[in-house]
Amino acid sequence: MDDSVALMFNNTLQKISNLSSRKNLALRESCKIAQDAIRDSPLFTKNAKHEPKEYEILANKLFIPLQLACETKEPKIMTLALDCFDKLMAYGIVKSYVIDESKALEQKKLIESIVNCIGFYFNFQDDNVQLQIIRSLLTAVITPTCDVHDTCLMSSIKTCYNIYLVTVNKVNVTAAKNVLFQMVDFVLQRFETISQSKMTNSKLDAGQIEEINNQYQVNLSDVNLLFRAFCKLSTKDDNNQTGTVSQQNLGPDTQEMKSKMLSLELLSRILESPLPSLKLSEKFINHSIKRYLSISLLHNGTSLHLPVFKLTLTLFQSLIIHFKEHLKEEIGLFFSKILLAVLSSHNCQAKQKWLILPVLYEICKNPQTIVDIFVNYDCDPDRKDIFEKMVYELSRVAQGTITGEQRSSNSDDNKFKILGLECIVTIMKSLVDWSKELYSSINPTQSSLNTTNSPVKKLTKSHSRNSSTDSDQEEPNSSATPLEIAISKFNQHPKKGIDYLVKKNLLKETPEDLSAFLKSNSSKLDQKKIGEYFNHSSVFTFNVLYKYIESFQFQGKEIDEALLELLCNFQIINSENQIIDKIVEKFAEKYYNDNQLNLSPITSPNLSSPILTSQPQQNNNNNNNNNITNNSEISNAETIYLLSYTIIILSTDLHNPTTKSKISPEEWIKMNSKINDKKDLSKEYLLSIYNRILNSKSISPSSSSTKQSVTNSTNSTSTNITNNNINNNNGIEYEEKFMRFNRESDQISKQCQELIKAKLSKKSIFYKARNIEHVRPMFLLSWCYVLSTLSVVLDDSKDKKLISLCLEGFTYAIRVSSIFYLNVERSSFITSLSKFSLLDTIKEPTLKNIECVKTLLSIGLSESNYLSDSWSSVLKVIFILERLHLIDAQQSSSSSLFMSSSKQSANLTLSSSPPSSINNIIEQIQSVTLSPQKQQEHLQQMIQSSPTLSSQSASTQPNLPPMKGISSGNEQIPISIQKLLDEYPKEMVFDSLAIEKIFTNSVLLSDDSIVTFFKCLCEISEDEINHYQKNYSLIKLVECIEYNFKRIRLVFYNIWEIVVQHFIRMGLHPNNDISLHAIDSLRQLATKYLEKQELSHYNFQNEFLTPFESIIRNNPSPLIQEHTIRCISQLSLSKTLNIKSGWKTIFNVLRYGSEIQNQSIVELSFNSIDQIIQKHLNLLDDSRVFQDIVQCLVSFTNPKVSYSECSHRSLLLLEKLLKEKFLFNNNNNNQNNNNNILKESEIKLLLPIITGFSISTLHENEMVRNISIDLLFKSLRQYGNSFSQTTWSHVIQNILKVNLQVMDLQKKTIGTMEQNWIRKSLPVYLENLLDLFSRFHLVGFYRYFLDIVEPFLCFGSDMNFQAASFSYVQFVHQCYQDFNEDLWEALCNSIQKVIHQLLISKSKSHHLYNFSKTLSSLSPIQFNPSPDNLIEKEFQDNLERFENTEPLLSIYNWQTAIQFMQKISNLFVERYHHQELPQSFTIALIKTWHQVYLLSTRINSEMTFLSFFGEMNSQSFESNSLGYLLMLLVEIYLDDQYPLVQSLCEPILEKLSIGILQEYSVSQFSSAGTKVVKIICQIIQGYSRFTDVQFQKHLASIYPFIVDFTLNENSEIRQSILFILKRISKSLPEKSIIDIPPTLILDPPNTLNLQNKKLNLL
């Protein structure tokens, strides 16, 4: 201090002295003394050290006059004195240690005396004095040298507090209040400073630490004193009034109310932003807040005085935000007794509720606070559910159901709703904020765009590394070989190692050389670096990878062992799905090729012969003996591909220590159901894989840190591994966790309750929430209230603020339910919101509905990965917008029009030229390093920058005529929508690019979500087409499929499995325009898809093209069928080089085209396959494609194809295929070509062609028949030498025999085509067939020839009989030498079968004929069979068998049977004497003739048959059968080479002959006819042929009849008798010649009267 300060004090004292009364001598004297002290004090000397005593002396000298001045109670004097007090303290003259000399015995400090002196006059009614008191006390408190504590501090505050209450001057009131705030702030800040010093006292000595601790305790005591005082003041009411009545009668200007308000404000000042040290002070919390503030809050919480109530709520808000950890019981009590009780009360004021809502809003706004409330109260069974009740009460407020003193106007009602709704929405927002970490971790962009492997990022890193190291990098070891140096470089950076090898000419930069280098040096190369090299997504790298995998040998290995062998050679870090998919895809092809003979033999379709199935190999007695049998059931490489994925998943799961729930064998089998070409693999095979993986090490294409790139997303039943999804983001862990968590009801709540019960020592401990999973049970408790509130308010309200809040609430609620996979809750919210968005179902839509539409569309963007089946609601809204023409294709905006708020776009620089398509955009976005949160938004920005994208949708749609009944430009818009358009044109139009984001973002969806998205899109498309005949959704479906073409095969398979069924249904739609559009869409997709190369032995191309086949088979419209064939033809010709498995479906479609009864379609189909063959002969090299081509061509040779030109050309093409594939020689008709020996695999390819030739032999066109027969047997003759017995069996049974069996010869009327075929083609066919049998000596199949010819003998006309009988006889004639006993027996059975078919009726007789009596009249037939004579037994058996048999009433059949037997008998006569026919055949032939004879006797002896056949026919049938029977018996008897048969025939011949001669002797010859004469002559001539011995033996029995017949005038009989007589004369002895007397002339015998005698012979 300097002299100016001394002068100031001196002048002030002088003024006081001058103003004082002269009577006040003490004041004047003390002023003079003080002035002297100032003059003499060294304190006012500069640069001098001052002793504490000097301050004490001066301060006491100055205190006395100032105290006396205040006692004068003169305002001016008091003002000067108080001002001087202020300056004394301000300039530091009054120290904290200075003792008041007047009270030295009490050791009272001077500062306390000063404060007491100043505060004594608080009620002095002078504004300036009061103001100066306030100022002085503030200086005393905040001046550090004063160091006011305890009672002194409280006195200062009390004085200012009293002045605030008693003064009427508003300036002083304000000043007092502000000073109090400053004092409180100073005290708190001082405490904070000391607390911080205490916390950082590690470098201080013990004395300093003790001093700081003392200061801390003093300052903490000050805070506690202040706080307690304010708490007590806040609860102090009028002494005469208590309770509610007191509070109700207190006015706002009363001292009691002012005191209460000020104390509450000061408390709020302390707690509003509490200092950190104060929040950590247990003493403050336990002794001040809990003990005093809690009482104050409960006391004032029931106050009807709104300002008090408001301040109380503010205090509670501060407590719950800053001190909730220490006030669990108090907060819970206040919530339940005050806040929630007031909200639910019927009697409280509405304004009180109005004040509560902002407090609840602030509480709800803090996610930590709201979650802590749930954890500590709702999860504690001993406490009430505060969170749930709060949500319930807020929902009632938001819905306008407040009870009690109601609001007075509609505006109040609206305000209440807004406040309540804001709280509800804020709760949902807090839940979203609390779980935002989870949401960002499973952001949809992460599952599809892997930015960590961005090419740009890699390029940047590589460039920076190269720039710093390449220039001065030295070789590792100068003595190392170049190969060692290259390996070292490769292990540091793969690209450098490769470049070094190329530079040193150690290898060429080709896939073959690079793969060989990697394979041969795999033990020296770093596995991670090999994986890093493969991880570069380029065509060249993929080729190297393919060659590398092809270098492995997997023959005879189990699939899991082979996969492990491959994946153990490299590790892929931070791998993309595409890389892993390429590895598994190529592995499947390689494994299938190496084990192809054991896995999938080439088979000929539709042929069931055993030769077409490869014979299983014998099991080896080694460790791999189960390999062939297990793997043999795998159908194609696609099965191995799917199985490999599940093996990786299983291995990762079983060997991951963090996975608690392992895949069980049952789940493993279920995962692999229907993966083997829609069939199941055997359980034994799958369990063997499971056991090996369980006992082996992990199989994974990546290291342990990246194993999550392959995860299991298995379906329950049908597609299984098609429901196994491969995700690359770590967020899938959360998805699986919450899906499991979702199945365990209320698990989180139970855990919280158990946690609280476990704290036995302190029940009131407060648990701070840290787990994201708490959000789920919170949402489950509140979602019903929230949904009802949002729905009711949105439905009833027209206020923009309320509508905006409701939509915001829907957005937050849907996000929470989506994050935690609460499907029912999410679906409920979206369904409720969609009800307000369906513009076509709302009678009077408003802007509210438009906002709902925008919100729903924005949800479709933000929550796209979680919507599941709720996608239907979003897509349906889009369809409605398009149908109502609310999508503006011309408008372009920088941000989505249906987004509630714009988001800041990413600052990126890409290609300057705009992308021409969405695929280019996706490629660019994938090549840029971008944070996951910005990828989706940047994708939209790229789309909007493309000038061609807006027209892409239109270009996608094929050029088709408009659908019937639809005109997109002229459809009438509803009147209500038109009104809105007129009133709000801008708000009602949606940007097409903004809508397009919904579909373009499908590339960012996870593998699970994309399948559900397409499922919903198909459902919407089908509904749109069926009900509105619109194709907008179908167009978008095609676009989305194109966007997702780059997904891995496994995921796209699941997508296509859903989409394909939709396309088929649309292709079968009765509206041809829709069907045409569906087919064109399929063609467009197929054209795009076939640009991708397919590895061998896969089947997905075939499945991709399957809809074409289904459509053409089931849609009867010729227009659709023709269009389908044209599309397939175009695909086959334009994508020939890329088509592999797709050929099967292509040829199936063309094959079905041949079955359509439409000439243009048939010709179009054939021309298509003709072009394919002519332009792409190299297709014949693929055996599978060759089979498909043959199958297709064979379909055109079918007789059902009535267009002979196509059939003719197809035969020529089949011949061409023979020439190209098997070097077919068309001129080898008559000679075997032994040089054309085919392999078994070639024979399997040849058989379908032979089948095609065979089918066309029944064609209606003669030229086609002739060509086909010629080609059929030429090919068989040329290649027959290569056929095994099994092959011949198939050819004969399934081709030649079946082919002729197609001809229906039993029809009543045979058509012209059949007649022409029988007349012209059958002889040629049978001739070639017989030549085939005899040429190759097909002994084992001779009986099949008989089976082939038999039908033509038994049915049809004389034409087929002549050809068949000739072939039959020629067959026996040419091939009998090869017959064995079985074949002879088969021949006998065949003859009897033919006879029975021709002569025996299948229907039973309606009349009972006495067959025995009829036959008994025939004495030649009646004989007792000898037990040793087999023929007699056969004859007796015939009698018994045919006694009740009905002969067939058919003259043609009898004639045919007689002719057939005659030809066989003639053959017998010719061959019998050569001793080449067995006895069994001879006996069977006799038996057959005897059967014919018996039946003929029957029809010639009964009038029923005589009337049908006629007399001449009946006689002829009997005589012919009897004549041939006699001929056979005579021939056998004359042949002494078979004495046994001869002895058997002798008695039969004798009895039969003698019986006939006796029957027609001279006495009875009058009844005989011409045919009887022939029989008699045949018998007589037969006897004449007997040998001498035979003749002499039977002469005695025949001679009497000879004598009788000598009297017969018939010249033929007389001539026959002449031969007998001459034979007899040779045996007579020679006698003398006697003259013969003249012949006696007798009268001729009477003429036979044939009319008077019943005929017995035919």
Side-chain angles (χ1 to χ4, degrees), residues 237 292 361 426 488 499 551 738 810 878 903 943 970 1002 1057 1145 1234 1252 1514 1516 1527 1543 1578 1597:
D237 293 330
Y292 295 98
Y361 175 81
T426 304
S488 177
D499 294 341
S551 65
F738 285 113
F810 270 112
I878 296 176
K903 298 181 179 180
I943 293 171
N970 299 323
S1002 63
E1057 200 170 43
T1145 301
N1234 296 324
S1514 298
S1516 175
M1527 180 195 71
S1543 62
Q1578 182 179 352
S1597 60

mmCIF file of all heavy atoms in Angstrom, residues 237 292 361 426 488 499 551 738 810 878 903 943 970 1002 1057 1145 1234 1252 1514 1516 1527 1543 1578 1597:
data_model
loop_
_atom_site.group_PDB
_atom_site.id
_atom_site.type_symbol
_atom_site.label_atom_id
_atom_site.label_comp_id
_atom_site.label_asym_id
_atom_site.label_seq_id
_atom_site.Cartn_x
_atom_site.Cartn_y
_atom_site.Cartn_z
ATOM 1 N N ASP A 237 -42.097 -22.479 7.852
ATOM 2 C CA ASP A 237 -43.341 -21.812 7.484
ATOM 3 C C ASP A 237 -43.754 -20.880 8.610
ATOM 4 O O ASP A 237 -43.067 -20.743 9.627
ATOM 5 C CB ASP A 237 -44.439 -22.852 7.235
ATOM 6 C CG ASP A 237 -44.120 -23.687 6.014
ATOM 7 O OD1 ASP A 237 -43.459 -23.155 5.103
ATOM 8 O OD2 ASP A 237 -44.518 -24.878 5.985
ATOM 9 N N TYR A 292 -31.116 -33.463 5.464
ATOM 10 C CA TYR A 292 -31.839 -32.199 5.445
ATOM 11 C C TYR A 292 -32.555 -31.944 4.106
ATOM 12 O O TYR A 292 -33.713 -31.529 4.097
ATOM 13 C CB TYR A 292 -30.865 -31.045 5.740
ATOM 14 C CG TYR A 292 -30.290 -31.111 7.123
ATOM 15 C CD1 TYR A 292 -29.029 -31.653 7.347
ATOM 16 C CD2 TYR A 292 -31.009 -30.629 8.222
ATOM 17 C CE1 TYR A 292 -28.495 -31.717 8.634
ATOM 18 C CE2 TYR A 292 -30.482 -30.688 9.511
ATOM 19 C CZ TYR A 292 -29.228 -31.242 9.707
ATOM 20 O OH TYR A 292 -28.710 -31.309 10.971
ATOM 21 N N TYR A 361 -38.774 -34.587 -18.582
ATOM 22 C CA TYR A 361 -38.128 -34.490 -19.895
ATOM 23 C C TYR A 361 -36.607 -34.449 -19.751
ATOM 24 O O TYR A 361 -35.878 -35.144 -20.480
ATOM 25 C CB TYR A 361 -38.639 -33.255 -20.627
ATOM 26 C CG TYR A 361 -37.934 -32.994 -21.941
ATOM 27 C CD1 TYR A 361 -38.285 -33.687 -23.088
ATOM 28 C CD2 TYR A 361 -36.904 -32.063 -22.035
ATOM 29 C CE1 TYR A 361 -37.639 -33.466 -24.296
ATOM 30 C CE2 TYR A 361 -36.251 -31.821 -23.228
ATOM 31 C CZ TYR A 361 -36.621 -32.530 -24.356
ATOM 32 O OH TYR A 361 -35.971 -32.307 -25.548
ATOM 33 N N THR A 426 -38.454 -38.739 -26.027
ATOM 34 C CA THR A 426 -37.105 -38.608 -25.470
ATOM 35 C C THR A 426 -36.652 -39.906 -24.825
ATOM 36 O O THR A 426 -35.468 -40.263 -24.885
ATOM 37 C CB THR A 426 -37.080 -37.467 -24.434
ATOM 38 O OG1 THR A 426 -37.550 -36.266 -25.043
ATOM 39 C CG2 THR A 426 -35.673 -37.246 -23.916
ATOM 40 N N SER A 488 12.506 -64.190 -49.134
ATOM 41 C CA SER A 488 12.583 -63.201 -48.050
ATOM 42 C C SER A 488 11.784 -61.955 -48.382
ATOM 43 O O SER A 488 11.069 -61.418 -47.535
ATOM 44 C CB SER A 488 14.045 -62.847 -47.795
ATOM 45 O OG SER A 488 14.153 -61.845 -46.806
ATOM 46 N N ASP A 499 7.801 -59.547 -58.038
ATOM 47 C CA ASP A 499 8.522 -58.684 -58.987
ATOM 48 C C ASP A 499 9.997 -59.049 -59.066
ATOM 49 O O ASP A 499 10.607 -59.007 -60.148
ATOM 50 C CB ASP A 499 8.362 -57.221 -58.573
ATOM 51 C CG ASP A 499 6.930 -56.748 -58.702
ATOM 52 O OD1 ASP A 499 6.148 -57.398 -59.428
ATOM 53 O OD2 ASP A 499 6.572 -55.737 -58.064
ATOM 54 N N SER A 551 -3.185 -77.442 -58.205
ATOM 55 C CA SER A 551 -1.937 -78.167 -57.994
ATOM 56 C C SER A 551 -2.042 -79.214 -56.891
ATOM 57 O O SER A 551 -1.143 -80.048 -56.751
ATOM 58 C CB SER A 551 -0.819 -77.168 -57.660
ATOM 59 O OG SER A 551 -1.080 -76.514 -56.418
ATOM 60 N N PHE A 738 -28.223 -61.601 -29.493
ATOM 61 C CA PHE A 738 -29.553 -61.090 -29.175
ATOM 62 C C PHE A 738 -30.660 -61.987 -29.687
ATOM 63 O O PHE A 738 -31.752 -62.002 -29.133
ATOM 64 C CB PHE A 738 -29.712 -59.675 -29.728
ATOM 65 C CG PHE A 738 -28.972 -58.653 -28.921
ATOM 66 C CD1 PHE A 738 -27.892 -57.987 -29.457
ATOM 67 C CD2 PHE A 738 -29.330 -58.389 -27.608
ATOM 68 C CE1 PHE A 738 -27.196 -57.071 -28.713
ATOM 69 C CE2 PHE A 738 -28.632 -57.458 -26.867
ATOM 70 C CZ PHE A 738 -27.555 -56.798 -27.407
ATOM 71 N N PHE A 810 -41.885 -42.950 -33.476
ATOM 72 C CA PHE A 810 -41.929 -44.182 -34.258
ATOM 73 C C PHE A 810 -40.537 -44.565 -34.747
ATOM 74 O O PHE A 810 -40.143 -45.742 -34.705
ATOM 75 C CB PHE A 810 -42.864 -44.003 -35.457
ATOM 76 C CG PHE A 810 -44.293 -44.370 -35.171
ATOM 77 C CD1 PHE A 810 -45.285 -43.391 -35.133
ATOM 78 C CD2 PHE A 810 -44.658 -45.682 -34.957
ATOM 79 C CE1 PHE A 810 -46.598 -43.715 -34.876
ATOM 80 C CE2 PHE A 810 -45.977 -46.027 -34.700
ATOM 81 C CZ PHE A 810 -46.953 -45.034 -34.655
ATOM 82 N N ILE A 878 -44.208 -47.617 -51.352
ATOM 83 C CA ILE A 878 -43.559 -47.170 -52.589
ATOM 84 C C ILE A 878 -44.432 -47.495 -53.792
ATOM 85 O O ILE A 878 -44.589 -46.674 -54.707
ATOM 86 C CB ILE A 878 -42.177 -47.823 -52.718
ATOM 87 C CG1 ILE A 878 -41.272 -47.364 -51.578
ATOM 88 C CG2 ILE A 878 -41.538 -47.490 -54.071
ATOM 89 C CD1 ILE A 878 -39.916 -48.033 -51.573
ATOM 90 N N LYS A 903 -28.324 -34.899 -43.528
ATOM 91 C CA LYS A 903 -27.084 -35.355 -42.903
ATOM 92 C C LYS A 903 -25.908 -34.838 -43.718
ATOM 93 O O LYS A 903 -25.971 -34.709 -44.933
ATOM 94 C CB LYS A 903 -27.055 -36.889 -42.838
ATOM 95 C CG LYS A 903 -28.176 -37.467 -41.995
ATOM 96 C CD LYS A 903 -28.076 -38.969 -41.955
ATOM 97 C CE LYS A 903 -29.187 -39.541 -41.089
ATOM 98 N NZ LYS A 903 -29.119 -41.012 -41.038
ATOM 99 N N ILE A 943 -25.265 -41.901 -56.458
ATOM 100 C CA ILE A 943 -26.424 -42.204 -57.308
ATOM 101 C C ILE A 943 -27.028 -40.923 -57.855
ATOM 102 O O ILE A 943 -27.386 -40.814 -59.030
ATOM 103 C CB ILE A 943 -27.459 -43.011 -56.514
ATOM 104 C CG1 ILE A 943 -26.887 -44.388 -56.180
ATOM 105 C CG2 ILE A 943 -28.742 -43.170 -57.287
ATOM 106 C CD1 ILE A 943 -27.740 -45.175 -55.221
ATOM 107 N N ASN A 970 -52.537 -42.296 -67.881
ATOM 108 C CA ASN A 970 -53.901 -41.788 -67.852
ATOM 109 C C ASN A 970 -54.722 -42.315 -66.682
ATOM 110 O O ASN A 970 -55.922 -42.111 -66.641
ATOM 111 C CB ASN A 970 -54.621 -42.157 -69.162
ATOM 112 C CG ASN A 970 -53.932 -41.548 -70.375
ATOM 113 O OD1 ASN A 970 -53.438 -40.428 -70.289
ATOM 114 N ND2 ASN A 970 -53.902 -42.289 -71.469
ATOM 115 N N SER A 1002 -29.921 -52.069 -51.336
ATOM 116 C CA SER A 1002 -30.019 -53.508 -51.095
ATOM 117 C C SER A 1002 -28.648 -54.175 -51.165
ATOM 118 O O SER A 1002 -28.441 -55.228 -50.566
ATOM 119 C CB SER A 1002 -30.968 -54.153 -52.104
ATOM 120 O OG SER A 1002 -30.476 -54.011 -53.422
ATOM 121 N N GLU A 1057 -33.660 -68.694 -54.999
ATOM 122 C CA GLU A 1057 -34.634 -69.722 -54.660
ATOM 123 C C GLU A 1057 -36.000 -69.111 -54.367
ATOM 124 O O GLU A 1057 -37.038 -69.729 -54.609
ATOM 125 C CB GLU A 1057 -34.140 -70.518 -53.452
ATOM 126 C CG GLU A 1057 -34.806 -71.875 -53.312
ATOM 127 C CD GLU A 1057 -34.121 -72.720 -52.253
ATOM 128 O OE1 GLU A 1057 -33.795 -72.154 -51.188
ATOM 129 O OE2 GLU A 1057 -33.886 -73.900 -52.480
ATOM 130 N N THR A 1145 -31.062 -77.045 -69.154
ATOM 131 C CA THR A 1145 -32.361 -76.380 -69.199
ATOM 132 C C THR A 1145 -32.661 -75.855 -70.597
ATOM 133 O O THR A 1145 -33.810 -75.918 -71.059
ATOM 134 C CB THR A 1145 -32.375 -75.224 -68.193
ATOM 135 O OG1 THR A 1145 -32.119 -75.734 -66.887
ATOM 136 C CG2 THR A 1145 -33.715 -74.518 -68.213
ATOM 137 N N ASN A 1234 -15.113 -104.294 -87.364
ATOM 138 C CA ASN A 1234 -14.478 -104.627 -86.099
ATOM 139 C C ASN A 1234 -13.547 -103.522 -85.614
ATOM 140 O O ASN A 1234 -13.032 -103.588 -84.495
ATOM 141 C CB ASN A 1234 -13.695 -105.937 -86.231
ATOM 142 C CG ASN A 1234 -14.615 -107.093 -86.515
ATOM 143 O OD1 ASN A 1234 -15.726 -107.135 -86.012
ATOM 144 N ND2 ASN A 1234 -14.142 -108.040 -87.322
ATOM 145 N N GLY A 1252 -33.154 -92.666 -80.183
ATOM 146 C CA GLY A 1252 -33.807 -91.718 -81.072
ATOM 147 C C GLY A 1252 -34.141 -92.328 -82.417
ATOM 148 O O GLY A 1252 -35.238 -92.106 -82.961
ATOM 149 N N SER A 1514 -66.078 -124.998 -91.329
ATOM 150 C CA SER A 1514 -65.962 -125.934 -90.211
ATOM 151 C C SER A 1514 -65.323 -127.235 -90.671
ATOM 152 O O SER A 1514 -64.434 -127.794 -89.994
ATOM 153 C CB SER A 1514 -67.341 -126.205 -89.604
ATOM 154 O OG SER A 1514 -67.900 -125.020 -89.092
ATOM 155 N N SER A 1516 -63.423 -127.644 -93.266
ATOM 156 C CA SER A 1516 -62.037 -127.375 -93.664
ATOM 157 C C SER A 1516 -61.112 -127.311 -92.454
ATOM 158 O O SER A 1516 -60.014 -127.868 -92.469
ATOM 159 C CB SER A 1516 -61.978 -126.067 -94.456
ATOM 160 O OG SER A 1516 -60.639 -125.737 -94.758
ATOM 161 N N MET A 1527 -50.123 -136.463 -90.491
ATOM 162 C CA MET A 1527 -48.851 -136.343 -91.201
ATOM 163 C C MET A 1527 -47.696 -136.396 -90.203
ATOM 164 O O MET A 1527 -46.687 -137.073 -90.421
ATOM 165 C CB MET A 1527 -48.829 -135.043 -91.986
ATOM 166 C CG MET A 1527 -47.526 -134.849 -92.758
ATOM 167 S SD MET A 1527 -47.310 -133.150 -93.313
ATOM 168 C CE MET A 1527 -46.971 -132.340 -91.751
ATOM 169 N N SER A 1543 -42.107 -145.351 -80.768
ATOM 170 C CA SER A 1543 -42.941 -146.309 -80.041
ATOM 171 C C SER A 1543 -44.141 -145.629 -79.404
ATOM 172 O O SER A 1543 -45.202 -146.251 -79.242
ATOM 173 C CB SER A 1543 -42.101 -146.996 -78.956
ATOM 174 O OG SER A 1543 -41.617 -146.041 -77.997
ATOM 175 N N GLN A 1578 -54.917 -140.078 -97.319
ATOM 176 C CA GLN A 1578 -53.687 -139.804 -96.583
ATOM 177 C C GLN A 1578 -53.313 -140.972 -95.679
ATOM 178 O O GLN A 1578 -52.137 -141.350 -95.582
ATOM 179 C CB GLN A 1578 -53.861 -138.520 -95.730
ATOM 180 C CG GLN A 1578 -52.627 -138.127 -94.980
ATOM 181 C CD GLN A 1578 -52.843 -136.857 -94.175
ATOM 182 O OE1 GLN A 1578 -53.880 -136.219 -94.317
ATOM 183 N NE2 GLN A 1578 -51.863 -136.518 -93.329
ATOM 184 N N SER A 1597 -54.520 -155.485 -89.408
ATOM 185 C CA SER A 1597 -55.538 -154.581 -88.874
ATOM 186 C C SER A 1597 -56.133 -153.687 -89.948
ATOM 187 O O SER A 1597 -57.303 -153.292 -89.861
ATOM 188 C CB SER A 1597 -54.934 -153.721 -87.766
ATOM 189 O OG SER A 1597 -53.860 -152.951 -88.276
#
